[in-house]
Amino acid sequence: MTTTHAAEAPPPDAPDGLQEHFDATIARDQRIEPRDWMPDGYRRTLIRQIAQHAHSEIIGMQPEGEWITRAPSLRRKAILFAKVQDEAGHGLYLYSAAETLGADRDDLTQRLIEGRQKYSSIFNYPTLSFADVGVIGWFVDGAAICNQVPLCRSSYGPYARAMVRICKEESFHQRQGYELLMTMMRGTDAQREMVQDAVDRWWWPSLMMFGPPDDASPNSARSMAWKIKRHSNDELRRRFVDMTVPQAEKLGVTLPDPELRWNEEAGHHDFGTPDWDELMRVIKGDGPCNDRRMERRRTAHEEGAWVREAATAHAAKQAARARKGAAA
Amino acid sequence: MTTTPAAETVPTAAALALGDDALVLSHRLGEWAGHAPVLEEEVALANIALDLLGQARVLLSTAGDEDELAFRREERAFRNCQLVEQPNGDFAHTIARQLFFSTYQHLLHDRLASGDGPFAPLAGKAVKEAAYHRDHAEQWTLRLGDGTDESHSRTQRAVDALWRYTGELFQPVEGLDEVDWAGLERTWLELVTDVLGRATLTVPEGPRTGAWSAGAGRQGLHTEPFGRMLAEMQHLHRSHPGATW
């Protein structure tokens, strides 16, 4: 599949040789950098993907941020604070990566707030107990790692480099989430019940994080040809299941899928089919928390407007004073 | 080298006063997560909150079990000053609270770090953090005070509203006998007056201590919003007595 590197016909106005040079760079597994020529479709696809990735980091602060003020020990509170702070930092790296493609962060934020760009479906599910914090670390960060480690080799340089930094921090969060669950499983009956309940609620939404099945994923083929994406949705989903099942056994929880079993012949786990109708509803805005997440993001943005305006006005006054000082 | 003073040498009342200040302010800053006006402030406020939480953990651990002290004391047993428990309000209120507190904390830790008391090692680390917090608060006070008409009036309101809680900061804390509280207060007033002046803000004329607020927090007398804050903070821990997290 990756041999079809000329994924899009050169636009009529592409100067001679640029398309060929681009195709050859991709074929040799070399990186495209911000000043290189690239097809418009490649640029648009990347802006969309990186922006949605950035939005996901920012919206993703909300479900876990819910528990910062209720964390049951000071150690867990510090861990959660650090994690939510890291997510804001990841959002910042990713917006910067998108800006290297000519996008503008304010414009991308506006698109998010107006619902014209998406974020990961998973953050539209509620965090109902403290065990959810651990399960988000284990499943959601685990799924993000499966998705993102291959992106460290993505063909667009700034994106790939952002992913290297992000993946290091995500693996740390994943281990901390799993360690919280381990501690809770060694605790009281009530704590063990909280963990199993959280696992039951988050398992299927986590599998949906990899996107629709391959035969219904409109952008996949082109993204793979461009080496923006390196593996298909189904392939990454299967990898996640194979990775997670032994961890669930070690933890002592069951995964809520009666069809889940090891397939000796395939060397993989067989598993049930996620509810794709639910995924479509959540992506279209009709999940349990879509309105709440968007409303909160919009409110923070609107209520912060006077602060941003003050910073701009102050900077302008300072600049004017500096000019006056230099002229005097 | 350790930054944790040996428990037996530390005066408990002082460890609780300083530890509770840091714990409560850290909690208030945590309420900003996901609400900040710009992403950079999500990072900065969480960063400050984490520094304060780290200080609180060291201090409370010298006075007993950190979680026992944070999650199982009633409102009347907390020794934090009333300033840090004040609700976040708008961004200007949060920044004014930060300016008043971090200037105080920077001066206090600077004093403690240069002495040979039991808090010197902790203060040596905390003074670097407080310097960053103070710089952050000063920069924002200047931007907001000397920004737009709206930001100016919001910030003046915040400074006026929080002024009455600043006198308490300089009530002597039992066990910190090396501190010249009156000298600390004079320096604090000079520094804060200078920042407010550069920010085109007026230093309030009202009293810095009311009938209630002179040393009240240090005696466990708090303002109404504090009980509600503790209810949220302690709920999960209290619901599962004896559980380990």
Side-chain angles (χ1 to χ4, degrees):
Chain A
M1 181 172 229
T2 46
T3 51
T4 4
H5 40 76
E8 189 176 75
D13 56 347
D16 279 350
L18 288 178
Q19 178 76 44
E20 288 74 10
H21 183 259
F22 174 84
D23 292 341
T25 306
I26 299 280
R28 283 198 307 270
D29 263 336
Q30 286 176 337
R31 296 273 167 80
I32 305 295
E33 294 298 338
R35 296 160 74 102
D36 294 343
W37 182 88
M38 62 188 86
D40 281 347
Y42 179 85
R43 188 184 298 274
R44 278 197 308 273
T45 300
L46 269 169
I47 291 177
R48 183 181 51 83
Q49 184 177 334
I50 298 173
Q52 292 183 179
H53 195 160
H55 299 332
S56 302
E57 296 283 357
I58 301 310
I59 299 289
M61 294 167 69
Q62 290 186 33
E64 291 171 288
E66 280 292 317
W67 286 91
I68 287 180
T69 53
R70 289 177 289 168
S73 76
L74 296 186
R75 176 167 169 262
R76 292 296 169 197
K77 188 167 178 159
I79 290 172
L80 196 49
F81 251 135
K83 182 178 180 190
V84 172
Q85 184 194 22
D86 280 349
E87 282 160 2
H90 296 171
L92 284 169
Y93 304 157
L94 288 163
Y95 284 122
S96 300
E99 288 192 323
T100 65
L101 291 157
D104 170 69
R105 183 171 130 192
D106 292 339
D107 174 57
L108 297 177
T109 302
Q110 210 55 46
R111 284 168 191 264
L112 168 66
I113 285 170
E114 288 167 13
R116 289 187 287 137
Q117 278 182 340
K118 310 252 180 256
Y119 55 87
S120 179
S121 57
I122 194 78
F123 301 120
N124 292 311
Y125 291 86
T127 45
L128 303 178
S129 83
F130 196 68
D132 290 35
V133 168
V135 171
I136 287 176
W138 177 29
F139 284 171
V140 176
D141 293 299
I145 291 165
C146 283
N147 260 327
Q148 293 173 4
V149 166
L151 293 177
C152 297
R153 295 185 297 118
S154 168
S155 61
Y156 188 59
Y159 191 30
R161 288 188 289 273
M163 290 327 303
V164 172
R165 294 181 66 175
I166 290 173
C167 284
K168 277 186 201 154
E169 295 179 353
E170 298 280 20
S171 343
F172 187 59
H173 299 158
Q174 195 209 9
R175 283 201 299 277
Q176 286 176 324
Y178 192 70
E179 189 257 335
L180 166 61
L181 299 179
M182 272 290 185
T183 307
M184 291 182 71
M185 288 302 285
R186 284 194 296 262
T188 64
D189 287 347
Q191 286 178 300
R192 275 187 290 278
E193 280 165 28
M194 279 166 90
V195 174
Q196 183 62 57
D197 173 61
V199 166
D200 292 345
R201 283 182 287 109
W202 287 90
W203 174 248
W204 291 110
S206 301
L207 289 190
M208 294 181 202
M209 278 180 73
F210 296 94
D214 291 349
D215 52 19
S217 177
N219 301 314
S220 279
R222 215 172 52 156
S223 287
M224 285 177 67
W226 274 331
K227 295 186 185 172
I228 294 173
K229 257 179 99 153
R230 310 291 306 217
H231 306 280
S232 80
N233 296 352
D234 287 337
E235 202 179 333
L236 291 167
R237 190 167 10 247
R238 196 178 57 194
R239 197 178 280 191
F240 173 74
V241 173
D242 287 340
M243 181 182 90
T244 308
V245 169
Q247 294 169 346
E249 281 164 12
K250 192 163 168 241
L251 194 58
V253 295
T254 56
L255 298 171
D257 179 0
E259 294 175 50
L260 182 67
R261 65 181 57 83
W262 177 250
N263 180 331
E264 189 65 53
E265 205 174 316
H268 287 292
H269 289 87
D270 291 334
F271 52 96
T273 309
D275 181 347
W276 299 124
D277 291 341
E278 177 178 314
L279 176 65
M280 285 307 138
R281 285 197 303 277
V282 174
I283 288 176
K284 292 205 167 91
D286 196 18
C289 297
N290 298 59
D291 292 347
R292 186 176 157 77
R293 302 286 184 247
M294 290 293 280
E295 177 57 23
R296 172 123 167 227
R297 186 73 197 91
R298 191 163 34 236
T299 307
H301 189 71
E302 285 169 7
E303 288 180 355
W306 70 270
V307 177
R308 296 189 299 274
E309 284 157 16
T312 308
H314 181 72
K317 286 183 189 179
Q318 290 290 82
R321 281 175 203 138
R323 275 197 305 274
K324 208 170 157 191
Chain B
M1 144 157 188
T2 170
T3 53
T4 312
E8 60 275 15
T9 65
V10 167
T12 303
L16 287 181
L18 302 185
D20 288 349
D21 280 354
L23 176 72
V24 171
L25 186 54
S26 163
H27 185 93
R28 283 293 187 209
L29 292 174
E31 294 171 354
W32 270 105
H35 293 280
V38 281
L39 285 183
E40 284 79 355
E41 283 307 297
E42 293 283 359
V43 179
L45 295 175
N47 210 335
I48 295 168
L50 260 173
D51 287 344
L52 291 169
L53 184 54
Q55 295 169 12
R57 294 183 66 192
V58 173
L59 285 158
L60 295 182
S61 296
T62 65
D65 177 84
E66 60 176 31
D67 288 337
E68 212 37 49
L69 287 167
F71 296 104
R72 303 196 63 88
R73 270 182 300 162
E74 303 278 335
E75 196 183 335
R76 287 286 279 110
F78 274 82
R79 293 291 176 260
N80 56 283
C81 59
Q82 292 182 346
L83 175 67
V84 294
E85 75 201 28
Q86 295 313 305
N88 288 335
D90 65 7
F91 191 68
H93 276 78
T94 291
I95 289 300
R97 192 182 60 198
Q98 284 303 116
L99 177 72
F100 295 160
F101 183 77
S102 61
T103 306
Y104 155 78
Q105 207 200 22
H106 186 229
L107 292 172
L108 177 62
H109 284 315
D110 192 44
R111 215 50 76 89
L112 294 174
S114 61
D116 53 5
F119 291 105
L122 165 88
K125 180 169 182 285
V127 73
K128 293 179 200 140
E129 296 170 346
Y132 161 75
H133 304 170
R134 191 179 139 190
D135 183 53
H136 173 264
E138 281 188 18
Q139 295 305 319
W140 271 113
T141 304
L142 296 176
R143 285 186 202 113
L144 298 180
D146 186 25
T148 61
D149 288 347
E150 182 185 7
S151 71
H152 178 90
S153 66
R154 280 177 183 261
T155 310
Q156 187 66 56
R157 262 205 306 277
V159 165
D160 293 347
L162 293 170
W163 194 244
R164 62 186 300 239
Y165 299 105
T166 59
E168 187 188 2
L169 300 172
F170 305 99
Q171 295 296 314
V173 173
E174 186 191 328
L176 299 181
D177 308 327
E178 66 205 279
V179 177
D180 164 17
W181 295 96
L184 207 67
E185 182 164 22
R186 275 194 304 277
T187 314
W188 181 91
L189 255 180
E190 280 166 26
L191 292 170
V192 166
T193 301
D194 173 63
V195 176
L196 295 181
R198 282 188 287 132
T200 73
L201 295 163
T202 310
V203 176
E205 283 171 9
R208 294 188 33 249
T209 49
W212 255 80
S213 48
R218 300 280 185 234
Q219 299 158 32
L221 296 171
H222 294 279
T223 53
E224 283 176 345
F226 186 52
R228 196 176 293 269
M229 192 205 100
L230 281 190
E232 182 174 348
M233 184 173 104
Q234 298 182 334
H235 165 257
L236 180 58
H237 184 96
R238 284 183 182 270
S239 302
H240 296 268
T244 304
W245 301 90

